[in-house]
Structure formats: structure tokens, C-alpha cells
Amino acid sequence: MDDMTAASRESVWDYPRPPRVERDTRRLTVTVGTEIVADTRASLRVLETSHPPTFYLPLQDVRTEFLRPGAGRSHCEWKGAASYWHVVVGDLVVPRAAWSYEEPRGAYASLRGRLAFYPSLVRCTVGDEVVTAQEGDFYGGWITSGIEGPFKGGPGTWGW
């Protein structure tokens, strides 16, 4: 895994398939309403061809008192079975705002004990930059000014 210490322009078309996992030490935050739900400098980025990075934050940097188990599961051909989490802050409930892999497979074992958040459902930042959500929400990618597309996920892109 490589440390990413400075933002640079990256094309998602240079990312590999199967995906690569790498460390990222930039400050990431996840906010719901006025509460910071997560704050870390110890994330992992999953980089996959045609998708903006998906960030996985360590549970020790997530305020787990705001998490509730969500319904349903999904399956990734590389990582295995994913579970979903609701984020509940006071009366504000954000269904399935995050996901995790309790038993990630093979090269993705480092994702154990981490959560990924959908930036379309919660406010996510990388450094001081507010993230734009990947269209379509299937992969939950985080788009920042340093990431170049086009990105898979929106209408008409599933055949890429």
C-alpha cells in the first residue's frame, strides 16, 4: 500500500481491475446534520477502473453511537459480503448511509473493521473539500477536484 500525502490529478482510467487498496493520510470527515460522525487521517482508498475512490474509515475514528444495523446485504466479487448501516443523529435517520465487510476476502482483508459512507447521503470531506457523490450510488465513490473521469455509474454507463 502506498501513502497518498498530496492531492494530484488522477484519472480513474489508470486505476486497476481488480481494485487496489492504498493508505490515505489526508483528513476525512463525515457529517450528518451538525454532528461529525467520523473524522480520520487513517483511511484506506479502494481504487477500481472507471470509479472514483471509495474511502474506508477505521471504526475507532467513527462515532459508533450513531450507527444502527441496516437491512440487506450485497456481494462484491472481490471483497465478499457487505453489511449496511443506518446513521441516526437525534431525529435524523439516514438509512443505509454506510457499509462494511465483516469478513473481507484475500487482498481486501485490510478493510475489516472499517466503514465506507455514501457521499450522496451524508456530507463527506477530503481535507477542506466537500466531496461530490459518484452518480448512481452503486459504488459510493468520492469525487474531488483531483479525480478525473468519465465515471461509470450514471445512466448509460453500465455497459462500459
Side-chain angles (χ1 to χ4, degrees), residues 36-63:
I36 295 177
V37 174
D39 189 341
T40 191
R41 288 184 178 273
S43 67
L44 295 178
R45 297 190 319 156
V46 174
L47 308 176
E48 181 176 355
T49 304
S50 77
H51 302 287
T54 302
F55 287 87
Y56 288 80
L57 289 67
L59 276 175
Q60 66 262 26
D61 294 340
V62 176
R63 295 179 61 192

mmCIF file with all atom_site columns, all heavy atoms in Angstrom, residues 36-63:
data_model
loop_
_atom_site.group_PDB
_atom_site.id
_atom_site.type_symbol
_atom_site.label_atom_id
_atom_site.label_alt_id
_atom_site.label_comp_id
_atom_site.label_asym_id
_atom_site.label_entity_id
_atom_site.label_seq_id
_atom_site.pdbx_PDB_ins_code
_atom_site.Cartn_x
_atom_site.Cartn_y
_atom_site.Cartn_z
_atom_site.occupancy
_atom_site.B_iso_or_equiv
_atom_site.pdbx_formal_charge
_atom_site.auth_seq_id
_atom_site.auth_comp_id
_atom_site.auth_asym_id
_atom_site.auth_atom_id
_atom_site.pdbx_PDB_model_num
ATOM 1   N N   . ILE A 1 36 ? -20.345 15.624 13.643  1.00 0.00 ? 36 ILE A N   1
ATOM 2   C CA  . ILE A 1 36 ? -19.283 14.904 12.924  1.00 0.00 ? 36 ILE A CA  1
ATOM 3   C C   . ILE A 1 36 ? -19.383 13.445 13.351  1.00 0.00 ? 36 ILE A C   1
ATOM 4   O O   . ILE A 1 36 ? -19.198 13.116 14.527  1.00 0.00 ? 36 ILE A O   1
ATOM 5   C CB  . ILE A 1 36 ? -17.895 15.492 13.220  1.00 0.00 ? 36 ILE A CB  1
ATOM 6   C CG1 . ILE A 1 36 ? -17.821 16.917 12.681  1.00 0.00 ? 36 ILE A CG1 1
ATOM 7   C CG2 . ILE A 1 36 ? -16.804 14.616 12.604  1.00 0.00 ? 36 ILE A CG2 1
ATOM 8   C CD1 . ILE A 1 36 ? -16.518 17.633 12.973  1.00 0.00 ? 36 ILE A CD1 1
ATOM 9   N N   . VAL A 1 37 ? -19.704 12.593 12.390  1.00 0.00 ? 37 VAL A N   1
ATOM 10  C CA  . VAL A 1 37 ? -19.899 11.170 12.640  1.00 0.00 ? 37 VAL A CA  1
ATOM 11  C C   . VAL A 1 37 ? -18.570 10.421 12.548  1.00 0.00 ? 37 VAL A C   1
ATOM 12  O O   . VAL A 1 37 ? -18.358 9.425  13.233  1.00 0.00 ? 37 VAL A O   1
ATOM 13  C CB  . VAL A 1 37 ? -20.929 10.593 11.639  1.00 0.00 ? 37 VAL A CB  1
ATOM 14  C CG1 . VAL A 1 37 ? -21.053 9.086  11.751  1.00 0.00 ? 37 VAL A CG1 1
ATOM 15  C CG2 . VAL A 1 37 ? -22.287 11.262 11.856  1.00 0.00 ? 37 VAL A CG2 1
ATOM 16  N N   . ALA A 1 38 ? -17.661 10.913 11.709  1.00 0.00 ? 38 ALA A N   1
ATOM 17  C CA  . ALA A 1 38 ? -16.355 10.280 11.553  1.00 0.00 ? 38 ALA A CA  1
ATOM 18  C C   . ALA A 1 38 ? -15.324 11.347 11.220  1.00 0.00 ? 38 ALA A C   1
ATOM 19  O O   . ALA A 1 38 ? -15.627 12.320 10.529  1.00 0.00 ? 38 ALA A O   1
ATOM 20  C CB  . ALA A 1 38 ? -16.401 9.224  10.459  1.00 0.00 ? 38 ALA A CB  1
ATOM 21  N N   . ASP A 1 39 ? -14.106 11.125 11.712  1.00 0.00 ? 39 ASP A N   1
ATOM 22  C CA  . ASP A 1 39 ? -13.002 12.060 11.487  1.00 0.00 ? 39 ASP A CA  1
ATOM 23  C C   . ASP A 1 39 ? -11.721 11.239 11.562  1.00 0.00 ? 39 ASP A C   1
ATOM 24  O O   . ASP A 1 39 ? -11.414 10.664 12.614  1.00 0.00 ? 39 ASP A O   1
ATOM 25  C CB  . ASP A 1 39 ? -13.031 13.141 12.566  1.00 0.00 ? 39 ASP A CB  1
ATOM 26  C CG  . ASP A 1 39 ? -12.054 14.277 12.310  1.00 0.00 ? 39 ASP A CG  1
ATOM 27  O OD1 . ASP A 1 39 ? -11.103 14.104 11.514  1.00 0.00 ? 39 ASP A OD1 1
ATOM 28  O OD2 . ASP A 1 39 ? -12.236 15.338 12.926  1.00 0.00 ? 39 ASP A OD2 1
ATOM 29  N N   . THR A 1 40 ? -10.990 11.157 10.459  1.00 0.00 ? 40 THR A N   1
ATOM 30  C CA  . THR A 1 40 ? -9.800  10.305 10.443  1.00 0.00 ? 40 THR A CA  1
ATOM 31  C C   . THR A 1 40 ? -8.706  10.855 9.544   1.00 0.00 ? 40 THR A C   1
ATOM 32  O O   . THR A 1 40 ? -8.969  11.655 8.649   1.00 0.00 ? 40 THR A O   1
ATOM 33  C CB  . THR A 1 40 ? -10.161 8.874  9.987   1.00 0.00 ? 40 THR A CB  1
ATOM 34  O OG1 . THR A 1 40 ? -9.053  8.009  10.227  1.00 0.00 ? 40 THR A OG1 1
ATOM 35  C CG2 . THR A 1 40 ? -10.531 8.826  8.508   1.00 0.00 ? 40 THR A CG2 1
ATOM 36  N N   . ARG A 1 41 ? -7.503  10.390 9.803   1.00 0.00 ? 41 ARG A N   1
ATOM 37  C CA  . ARG A 1 41 ? -6.343  10.570 8.926   1.00 0.00 ? 41 ARG A CA  1
ATOM 38  C C   . ARG A 1 41 ? -5.742  9.199  8.641   1.00 0.00 ? 41 ARG A C   1
ATOM 39  O O   . ARG A 1 41 ? -4.561  9.093  8.310   1.00 0.00 ? 41 ARG A O   1
ATOM 40  C CB  . ARG A 1 41 ? -5.312  11.478 9.568   1.00 0.00 ? 41 ARG A CB  1
ATOM 41  C CG  . ARG A 1 41 ? -5.726  12.938 9.618   1.00 0.00 ? 41 ARG A CG  1
ATOM 42  C CD  . ARG A 1 41 ? -4.611  13.809 10.171  1.00 0.00 ? 41 ARG A CD  1
ATOM 43  N NE  . ARG A 1 41 ? -4.977  15.204 10.186  1.00 0.00 ? 41 ARG A NE  1
ATOM 44  C CZ  . ARG A 1 41 ? -4.805  16.040 9.160   1.00 0.00 ? 41 ARG A CZ  1
ATOM 45  N NH1 . ARG A 1 41 ? -4.250  15.612 8.048   1.00 0.00 ? 41 ARG A NH1 1
ATOM 46  N NH2 . ARG A 1 41 ? -5.172  17.297 9.262   1.00 0.00 ? 41 ARG A NH2 1
ATOM 47  N N   . ALA A 1 42 ? -6.550  8.163  8.784   1.00 0.00 ? 42 ALA A N   1
ATOM 48  C CA  . ALA A 1 42 ? -6.070  6.784  8.628   1.00 0.00 ? 42 ALA A CA  1
ATOM 49  C C   . ALA A 1 42 ? -7.013  5.963  7.760   1.00 0.00 ? 42 ALA A C   1
ATOM 50  O O   . ALA A 1 42 ? -7.382  4.849  8.105   1.00 0.00 ? 42 ALA A O   1
ATOM 51  C CB  . ALA A 1 42 ? -5.908  6.136  10.003  1.00 0.00 ? 42 ALA A CB  1
ATOM 52  N N   . SER A 1 43 ? -7.416  6.527  6.630   1.00 0.00 ? 43 SER A N   1
ATOM 53  C CA  . SER A 1 43 ? -8.357  5.804  5.761   1.00 0.00 ? 43 SER A CA  1
ATOM 54  C C   . SER A 1 43 ? -7.611  4.900  4.780   1.00 0.00 ? 43 SER A C   1
ATOM 55  O O   . SER A 1 43 ? -6.388  5.000  4.608   1.00 0.00 ? 43 SER A O   1
ATOM 56  C CB  . SER A 1 43 ? -9.230  6.792  4.987   1.00 0.00 ? 43 SER A CB  1
ATOM 57  O OG  . SER A 1 43 ? -8.441  7.527  4.074   1.00 0.00 ? 43 SER A OG  1
ATOM 58  N N   . LEU A 1 44 ? -8.385  4.039  4.164   1.00 0.00 ? 44 LEU A N   1
ATOM 59  C CA  . LEU A 1 44 ? -7.915  3.244  3.031   1.00 0.00 ? 44 LEU A CA  1
ATOM 60  C C   . LEU A 1 44 ? -8.774  3.623  1.834   1.00 0.00 ? 44 LEU A C   1
ATOM 61  O O   . LEU A 1 44 ? -9.990  3.761  1.964   1.00 0.00 ? 44 LEU A O   1
ATOM 62  C CB  . LEU A 1 44 ? -8.041  1.743  3.308   1.00 0.00 ? 44 LEU A CB  1
ATOM 63  C CG  . LEU A 1 44 ? -7.179  1.184  4.417   1.00 0.00 ? 44 LEU A CG  1
ATOM 64  C CD1 . LEU A 1 44 ? -7.460  -0.307 4.610   1.00 0.00 ? 44 LEU A CD1 1
ATOM 65  C CD2 . LEU A 1 44 ? -5.692  1.400  4.135   1.00 0.00 ? 44 LEU A CD2 1
ATOM 66  N N   . ARG A 1 45 ? -8.125  3.802  0.680   1.00 0.00 ? 45 ARG A N   1
ATOM 67  C CA  . ARG A 1 45 ? -8.848  4.062  -0.574  1.00 0.00 ? 45 ARG A CA  1
ATOM 68  C C   . ARG A 1 45 ? -8.867  2.778  -1.383  1.00 0.00 ? 45 ARG A C   1
ATOM 69  O O   . ARG A 1 45 ? -7.859  2.099  -1.512  1.00 0.00 ? 45 ARG A O   1
ATOM 70  C CB  . ARG A 1 45 ? -8.138  5.107  -1.439  1.00 0.00 ? 45 ARG A CB  1
ATOM 71  C CG  . ARG A 1 45 ? -8.015  6.445  -0.869  1.00 0.00 ? 45 ARG A CG  1
ATOM 72  C CD  . ARG A 1 45 ? -7.516  7.500  -1.857  1.00 0.00 ? 45 ARG A CD  1
ATOM 73  N NE  . ARG A 1 45 ? -6.444  7.108  -2.753  1.00 0.00 ? 45 ARG A NE  1
ATOM 74  C CZ  . ARG A 1 45 ? -6.203  7.680  -3.932  1.00 0.00 ? 45 ARG A CZ  1
ATOM 75  N NH1 . ARG A 1 45 ? -6.960  8.670  -4.375  1.00 0.00 ? 45 ARG A NH1 1
ATOM 76  N NH2 . ARG A 1 45 ? -5.204  7.292  -4.688  1.00 0.00 ? 45 ARG A NH2 1
ATOM 77  N N   . VAL A 1 46 ? -10.031 2.472  -1.942  1.00 0.00 ? 46 VAL A N   1
ATOM 78  C CA  . VAL A 1 46 ? -10.137 1.382  -2.902  1.00 0.00 ? 46 VAL A CA  1
ATOM 79  C C   . VAL A 1 46 ? -10.270 2.029  -4.272  1.00 0.00 ? 46 VAL A C   1
ATOM 80  O O   . VAL A 1 46 ? -11.163 2.846  -4.508  1.00 0.00 ? 46 VAL A O   1
ATOM 81  C CB  . VAL A 1 46 ? -11.330 0.451  -2.588  1.00 0.00 ? 46 VAL A CB  1
ATOM 82  C CG1 . VAL A 1 46 ? -11.502 -0.584 -3.682  1.00 0.00 ? 46 VAL A CG1 1
ATOM 83  C CG2 . VAL A 1 46 ? -11.125 -0.218 -1.231  1.00 0.00 ? 46 VAL A CG2 1
ATOM 84  N N   . LEU A 1 47 ? -9.346  1.664  -5.159  1.00 0.00 ? 47 LEU A N   1
ATOM 85  C CA  . LEU A 1 47 ? -9.262  2.267  -6.485  1.00 0.00 ? 47 LEU A CA  1
ATOM 86  C C   . LEU A 1 47 ? -9.564  1.208  -7.530  1.00 0.00 ? 47 LEU A C   1
ATOM 87  O O   . LEU A 1 47 ? -8.864  0.201  -7.625  1.00 0.00 ? 47 LEU A O   1
ATOM 88  C CB  . LEU A 1 47 ? -7.857  2.831  -6.713  1.00 0.00 ? 47 LEU A CB  1
ATOM 89  C CG  . LEU A 1 47 ? -7.346  3.777  -5.622  1.00 0.00 ? 47 LEU A CG  1
ATOM 90  C CD1 . LEU A 1 47 ? -5.916  4.182  -5.911  1.00 0.00 ? 47 LEU A CD1 1
ATOM 91  C CD2 . LEU A 1 47 ? -8.253  4.982  -5.486  1.00 0.00 ? 47 LEU A CD2 1
ATOM 92  N N   . GLU A 1 48 ? -10.615 1.443  -8.318  1.00 0.00 ? 48 GLU A N   1
ATOM 93  C CA  . GLU A 1 48 ? -11.046 0.496  -9.345  1.00 0.00 ? 48 GLU A CA  1
ATOM 94  C C   . GLU A 1 48 ? -11.295 1.237  -10.649 1.00 0.00 ? 48 GLU A C   1
ATOM 95  O O   . GLU A 1 48 ? -11.887 2.322  -10.646 1.00 0.00 ? 48 GLU A O   1
ATOM 96  C CB  . GLU A 1 48 ? -12.316 -0.223 -8.900  1.00 0.00 ? 48 GLU A CB  1
ATOM 97  C CG  . GLU A 1 48 ? -12.797 -1.237 -9.900  1.00 0.00 ? 48 GLU A CG  1
ATOM 98  C CD  . GLU A 1 48 ? -13.999 -2.032 -9.422  1.00 0.00 ? 48 GLU A CD  1
ATOM 99  O OE1 . GLU A 1 48 ? -14.426 -1.867 -8.267  1.00 0.00 ? 48 GLU A OE1 1
ATOM 100 O OE2 . GLU A 1 48 ? -14.513 -2.821 -10.216 1.00 0.00 ? 48 GLU A OE2 1
ATOM 101 N N   . THR A 1 49 ? -10.881 0.644  -11.744 1.00 0.00 ? 49 THR A N   1
ATOM 102 C CA  . THR A 1 49 ? -11.046 1.240  -13.061 1.00 0.00 ? 49 THR A CA  1
ATOM 103 C C   . THR A 1 49 ? -12.440 1.820  -13.234 1.00 0.00 ? 49 THR A C   1
ATOM 104 O O   . THR A 1 49 ? -13.430 1.153  -12.945 1.00 0.00 ? 49 THR A O   1
ATOM 105 C CB  . THR A 1 49 ? -10.813 0.186  -14.170 1.00 0.00 ? 49 THR A CB  1
ATOM 106 O OG1 . THR A 1 49 ? -9.526  -0.397 -13.983 1.00 0.00 ? 49 THR A OG1 1
ATOM 107 C CG2 . THR A 1 49 ? -10.896 0.796  -15.548 1.00 0.00 ? 49 THR A CG2 1
ATOM 108 N N   . SER A 1 50 ? -12.498 3.047  -13.687 1.00 0.00 ? 50 SER A N   1
ATOM 109 C CA  . SER A 1 50 ? -13.706 3.793  -14.054 1.00 0.00 ? 50 SER A CA  1
ATOM 110 C C   . SER A 1 50 ? -14.505 4.342  -12.872 1.00 0.00 ? 50 SER A C   1
ATOM 111 O O   . SER A 1 50 ? -15.560 4.931  -13.071 1.00 0.00 ? 50 SER A O   1
ATOM 112 C CB  . SER A 1 50 ? -14.627 2.993  -14.980 1.00 0.00 ? 50 SER A CB  1
ATOM 113 O OG  . SER A 1 50 ? -15.350 2.010  -14.272 1.00 0.00 ? 50 SER A OG  1
ATOM 114 N N   . HIS A 1 51 ? -14.016 4.172  -11.645 1.00 0.00 ? 51 HIS A N   1
ATOM 115 C CA  . HIS A 1 51 ? -14.745 4.639  -10.461 1.00 0.00 ? 51 HIS A CA  1
ATOM 116 C C   . HIS A 1 51 ? -13.896 5.581  -9.622  1.00 0.00 ? 51 HIS A C   1
ATOM 117 O O   . HIS A 1 51 ? -12.710 5.318  -9.420  1.00 0.00 ? 51 HIS A O   1
ATOM 118 C CB  . HIS A 1 51 ? -15.160 3.463  -9.573  1.00 0.00 ? 51 HIS A CB  1
ATOM 119 C CG  . HIS A 1 51 ? -16.005 2.481  -10.292 1.00 0.00 ? 51 HIS A CG  1
ATOM 120 N ND1 . HIS A 1 51 ? -17.321 2.734  -10.614 1.00 0.00 ? 51 HIS A ND1 1
ATOM 121 C CD2 . HIS A 1 51 ? -15.722 1.262  -10.797 1.00 0.00 ? 51 HIS A CD2 1
ATOM 122 C CE1 . HIS A 1 51 ? -17.808 1.690  -11.271 1.00 0.00 ? 51 HIS A CE1 1
ATOM 123 N NE2 . HIS A 1 51 ? -16.860 0.802  -11.395 1.00 0.00 ? 51 HIS A NE2 1
ATOM 124 N N   . PRO A 1 52 ? -14.499 6.654  -9.095  1.00 0.00 ? 52 PRO A N   1
ATOM 125 C CA  . PRO A 1 52 ? -13.758 7.464  -8.134  1.00 0.00 ? 52 PRO A CA  1
ATOM 126 C C   . PRO A 1 52 ? -13.449 6.631  -6.894  1.00 0.00 ? 52 PRO A C   1
ATOM 127 O O   . PRO A 1 52 ? -14.111 5.625  -6.637  1.00 0.00 ? 52 PRO A O   1
ATOM 128 C CB  . PRO A 1 52 ? -14.706 8.609  -7.813  1.00 0.00 ? 52 PRO A CB  1
ATOM 129 C CG  . PRO A 1 52 ? -15.995 8.312  -8.446  1.00 0.00 ? 52 PRO A CG  1
ATOM 130 C CD  . PRO A 1 52 ? -15.849 7.126  -9.327  1.00 0.00 ? 52 PRO A CD  1
ATOM 131 N N   . PRO A 1 53 ? -12.453 7.022  -6.119  1.00 0.00 ? 53 PRO A N   1
ATOM 132 C CA  . PRO A 1 53 ? -12.081 6.241  -4.931  1.00 0.00 ? 53 PRO A CA  1
ATOM 133 C C   . PRO A 1 53 ? -13.247 6.065  -3.959  1.00 0.00 ? 53 PRO A C   1
ATOM 134 O O   . PRO A 1 53 ? -14.069 6.956  -3.782  1.00 0.00 ? 53 PRO A O   1
ATOM 135 C CB  . PRO A 1 53 ? -10.979 7.082  -4.286  1.00 0.00 ? 53 PRO A CB  1
ATOM 136 C CG  . PRO A 1 53 ? -10.457 7.941  -5.377  1.00 0.00 ? 53 PRO A CG  1
ATOM 137 C CD  . PRO A 1 53 ? -11.619 8.202  -6.295  1.00 0.00 ? 53 PRO A CD  1
ATOM 138 N N   . THR A 1 54 ? -13.265 4.910  -3.322  1.00 0.00 ? 54 THR A N   1
ATOM 139 C CA  . THR A 1 54 ? -14.149 4.657  -2.199  1.00 0.00 ? 54 THR A CA  1
ATOM 140 C C   . THR A 1 54 ? -13.260 4.631  -0.966  1.00 0.00 ? 54 THR A C   1
ATOM 141 O O   . THR A 1 54 ? -12.256 3.927  -0.946  1.00 0.00 ? 54 THR A O   1
ATOM 142 C CB  . THR A 1 54 ? -14.890 3.322  -2.355  1.00 0.00 ? 54 THR A CB  1
ATOM 143 O OG1 . THR A 1 54 ? -15.633 3.343  -3.577  1.00 0.00 ? 54 THR A OG1 1
ATOM 144 C CG2 . THR A 1 54 ? -15.833 3.071  -1.191  1.00 0.00 ? 54 THR A CG2 1
ATOM 145 N N   . PHE A 1 55 ? -13.614 5.413  0.047   1.00 0.00 ? 55 PHE A N   1
ATOM 146 C CA  . PHE A 1 55 ? -12.803 5.521  1.258   1.00 0.00 ? 55 PHE A CA  1
ATOM 147 C C   . PHE A 1 55 ? -13.403 4.665  2.367   1.00 0.00 ? 55 PHE A C   1
ATOM 148 O O   . PHE A 1 55 ? -14.606 4.701  2.600   1.00 0.00 ? 55 PHE A O   1
ATOM 149 C CB  . PHE A 1 55 ? -12.730 6.972  1.725   1.00 0.00 ? 55 PHE A CB  1
ATOM 150 C CG  . PHE A 1 55 ? -11.866 7.840  0.861   1.00 0.00 ? 55 PHE A CG  1
ATOM 151 C CD1 . PHE A 1 55 ? -12.386 8.461  -0.259  1.00 0.00 ? 55 PHE A CD1 1
ATOM 152 C CD2 . PHE A 1 55 ? -10.526 8.032  1.171   1.00 0.00 ? 55 PHE A CD2 1
ATOM 153 C CE1 . PHE A 1 55 ? -11.595 9.281  -1.061  1.00 0.00 ? 55 PHE A CE1 1
ATOM 154 C CE2 . PHE A 1 55 ? -9.723  8.834  0.378   1.00 0.00 ? 55 PHE A CE2 1
ATOM 155 C CZ  . PHE A 1 55 ? -10.253 9.459  -0.742  1.00 0.00 ? 55 PHE A CZ  1
ATOM 156 N N   . TYR A 1 56 ? -12.535 3.930  3.060   1.00 0.00 ? 56 TYR A N   1
ATOM 157 C CA  . TYR A 1 56 ? -12.919 3.103  4.201   1.00 0.00 ? 56 TYR A CA  1
ATOM 158 C C   . TYR A 1 56 ? -12.249 3.679  5.437   1.00 0.00 ? 56 TYR A C   1
ATOM 159 O O   . TYR A 1 56 ? -11.029 3.787  5.499   1.00 0.00 ? 56 TYR A O   1
ATOM 160 C CB  . TYR A 1 56 ? -12.507 1.648  3.972   1.00 0.00 ? 56 TYR A CB  1
ATOM 161 C CG  . TYR A 1 56 ? -13.358 0.978  2.930   1.00 0.00 ? 56 TYR A CG  1
ATOM 162 C CD1 . TYR A 1 56 ? -13.128 1.163  1.574   1.00 0.00 ? 56 TYR A CD1 1
ATOM 163 C CD2 . TYR A 1 56 ? -14.420 0.161  3.311   1.00 0.00 ? 56 TYR A CD2 1
ATOM 164 C CE1 . TYR A 1 56 ? -13.927 0.568  0.610   1.00 0.00 ? 56 TYR A CE1 1
ATOM 165 C CE2 . TYR A 1 56 ? -15.228 -0.443 2.355   1.00 0.00 ? 56 TYR A CE2 1
ATOM 166 C CZ  . TYR A 1 56 ? -14.970 -0.237 1.013   1.00 0.00 ? 56 TYR A CZ  1
ATOM 167 O OH  . TYR A 1 56 ? -15.771 -0.829 0.064   1.00 0.00 ? 56 TYR A OH  1
ATOM 168 N N   . LEU A 1 57 ? -13.073 4.047  6.421   1.00 0.00 ? 57 LEU A N   1
ATOM 169 C CA  . LEU A 1 57 ? -12.600 4.710  7.634   1.00 0.00 ? 57 LEU A CA  1
ATOM 170 C C   . LEU A 1 57 ? -12.557 3.722  8.785   1.00 0.00 ? 57 LEU A C   1
ATOM 171 O O   . LEU A 1 57 ? -13.477 2.906  8.932   1.00 0.00 ? 57 LEU A O   1
ATOM 172 C CB  . LEU A 1 57 ? -13.524 5.880  7.988   1.00 0.00 ? 57 LEU A CB  1
ATOM 173 C CG  . LEU A 1 57 ? -13.461 7.105  7.078   1.00 0.00 ? 57 LEU A CG  1
ATOM 174 C CD1 . LEU A 1 57 ? -13.965 6.831  5.679   1.00 0.00 ? 57 LEU A CD1 1
ATOM 175 C CD2 . LEU A 1 57 ? -14.247 8.238  7.687   1.00 0.00 ? 57 LEU A CD2 1
ATOM 176 N N   . PRO A 1 58 ? -11.505 3.772  9.607   1.00 0.00 ? 58 PRO A N   1
ATOM 177 C CA  . PRO A 1 58 ? -11.411 2.832  10.737  1.00 0.00 ? 58 PRO A CA  1
ATOM 178 C C   . PRO A 1 58 ? -12.503 3.093  11.766  1.00 0.00 ? 58 PRO A C   1
ATOM 179 O O   . PRO A 1 58 ? -12.823 4.250  12.069  1.00 0.00 ? 58 PRO A O   1
ATOM 180 C CB  . PRO A 1 58 ? -10.022 3.095  11.315  1.00 0.00 ? 58 PRO A CB  1
ATOM 181 C CG  . PRO A 1 58 ? -9.638  4.453  10.848  1.00 0.00 ? 58 PRO A CG  1
ATOM 182 C CD  . PRO A 1 58 ? -10.379 4.700  9.560   1.00 0.00 ? 58 PRO A CD  1
ATOM 183 N N   . LEU A 1 59 ? -13.067 2.011  12.289  1.00 0.00 ? 59 LEU A N   1
ATOM 184 C CA  . LEU A 1 59 ? -14.149 2.139  13.273  1.00 0.00 ? 59 LEU A CA  1
ATOM 185 C C   . LEU A 1 59 ? -13.756 2.983  14.475  1.00 0.00 ? 59 LEU A C   1
ATOM 186 O O   . LEU A 1 59 ? -14.593 3.683  15.035  1.00 0.00 ? 59 LEU A O   1
ATOM 187 C CB  . LEU A 1 59 ? -14.610 0.760  13.743  1.00 0.00 ? 59 LEU A CB  1
ATOM 188 C CG  . LEU A 1 59 ? -15.625 0.066  12.858  1.00 0.00 ? 59 LEU A CG  1
ATOM 189 C CD1 . LEU A 1 59 ? -15.914 -1.332 13.367  1.00 0.00 ? 59 LEU A CD1 1
ATOM 190 C CD2 . LEU A 1 59 ? -16.901 0.880  12.752  1.00 0.00 ? 59 LEU A CD2 1
ATOM 191 N N   . GLN A 1 60 ? -12.486 2.946  14.869  1.00 0.00 ? 60 GLN A N   1
ATOM 192 C CA  . GLN A 1 60 ? -12.084 3.733  16.040  1.00 0.00 ? 60 GLN A CA  1
ATOM 193 C C   . GLN A 1 60 ? -12.196 5.234  15.787  1.00 0.00 ? 60 GLN A C   1
ATOM 194 O O   . GLN A 1 60 ? -12.202 6.017  16.728  1.00 0.00 ? 60 GLN A O   1
ATOM 195 C CB  . GLN A 1 60 ? -10.681 3.361  16.538  1.00 0.00 ? 60 GLN A CB  1
ATOM 196 C CG  . GLN A 1 60 ? -9.566  3.690  15.586  1.00 0.00 ? 60 GLN A CG  1
ATOM 197 C CD  . GLN A 1 60 ? -9.137  2.488  14.761  1.00 0.00 ? 60 GLN A CD  1
ATOM 198 O OE1 . GLN A 1 60 ? -9.908  1.564  14.534  1.00 0.00 ? 60 GLN A OE1 1
ATOM 199 N NE2 . GLN A 1 60 ? -7.896  2.509  14.311  1.00 0.00 ? 60 GLN A NE2 1
ATOM 200 N N   . ASP A 1 61 ? -12.313 5.646  14.514  1.00 0.00 ? 61 ASP A N   1
ATOM 201 C CA  . ASP A 1 61 ? -12.476 7.057  14.172  1.00 0.00 ? 61 ASP A CA  1
ATOM 202 C C   . ASP A 1 61 ? -13.911 7.410  13.765  1.00 0.00 ? 61 ASP A C   1
ATOM 203 O O   . ASP A 1 61 ? -14.171 8.485  13.234  1.00 0.00 ? 61 ASP A O   1
ATOM 204 C CB  . ASP A 1 61 ? -11.506 7.440  13.048  1.00 0.00 ? 61 ASP A CB  1
ATOM 205 C CG  . ASP A 1 61 ? -10.053 7.357  13.497  1.00 0.00 ? 61 ASP A CG  1
ATOM 206 O OD1 . ASP A 1 61 ? -9.798  7.381  14.721  1.00 0.00 ? 61 ASP A OD1 1
ATOM 207 O OD2 . ASP A 1 61 ? -9.172  7.252  12.628  1.00 0.00 ? 61 ASP A OD2 1
ATOM 208 N N   . VAL A 1 62 ? -14.829 6.472  14.020  1.00 0.00 ? 62 VAL A N   1
ATOM 209 C CA  . VAL A 1 62 ? -16.253 6.664  13.730  1.00 0.00 ? 62 VAL A CA  1
ATOM 210 C C   . VAL A 1 62 ? -17.000 6.673  15.059  1.00 0.00 ? 62 VAL A C   1
ATOM 211 O O   . VAL A 1 62 ? -16.730 5.855  15.938  1.00 0.00 ? 62 VAL A O   1
ATOM 212 C CB  . VAL A 1 62 ? -16.796 5.527  12.836  1.00 0.00 ? 62 VAL A CB  1
ATOM 213 C CG1 . VAL A 1 62 ? -18.297 5.672  12.626  1.00 0.00 ? 62 VAL A CG1 1
ATOM 214 C CG2 . VAL A 1 62 ? -16.059 5.485  11.502  1.00 0.00 ? 62 VAL A CG2 1
ATOM 215 N N   . ARG A 1 63 ? -17.908 7.607  15.198  1.00 0.00 ? 63 ARG A N   1
ATOM 216 C CA  . ARG A 1 63 ? -18.734 7.663  16.415  1.00 0.00 ? 63 ARG A CA  1
ATOM 217 C C   . ARG A 1 63 ? -19.838 6.611  16.275  1.00 0.00 ? 63 ARG A C   1
ATOM 218 O O   . ARG A 1 63 ? -20.917 6.877  15.757  1.00 0.00 ? 63 ARG A O   1
ATOM 219 C CB  . ARG A 1 63 ? -19.281 9.066  16.613  1.00 0.00 ? 63 ARG A CB  1
ATOM 220 C CG  . ARG A 1 63 ? -18.146 10.055 16.888  1.00 0.00 ? 63 ARG A CG  1
ATOM 221 C CD  . ARG A 1 63 ? -18.625 11.453 17.078  1.00 0.00 ? 63 ARG A CD  1
ATOM 222 N NE  . ARG A 1 63 ? -19.539 11.554 18.230  1.00 0.00 ? 63 ARG A NE  1
ATOM 223 C CZ  . ARG A 1 63 ? -20.275 12.635 18.472  1.00 0.00 ? 63 ARG A CZ  1
ATOM 224 N NH1 . ARG A 1 63 ? -20.204 13.695 17.671  1.00 0.00 ? 63 ARG A NH1 1
ATOM 225 N NH2 . ARG A 1 63 ? -21.077 12.658 19.508  1.00 0.00 ? 63 ARG A NH2 1
#
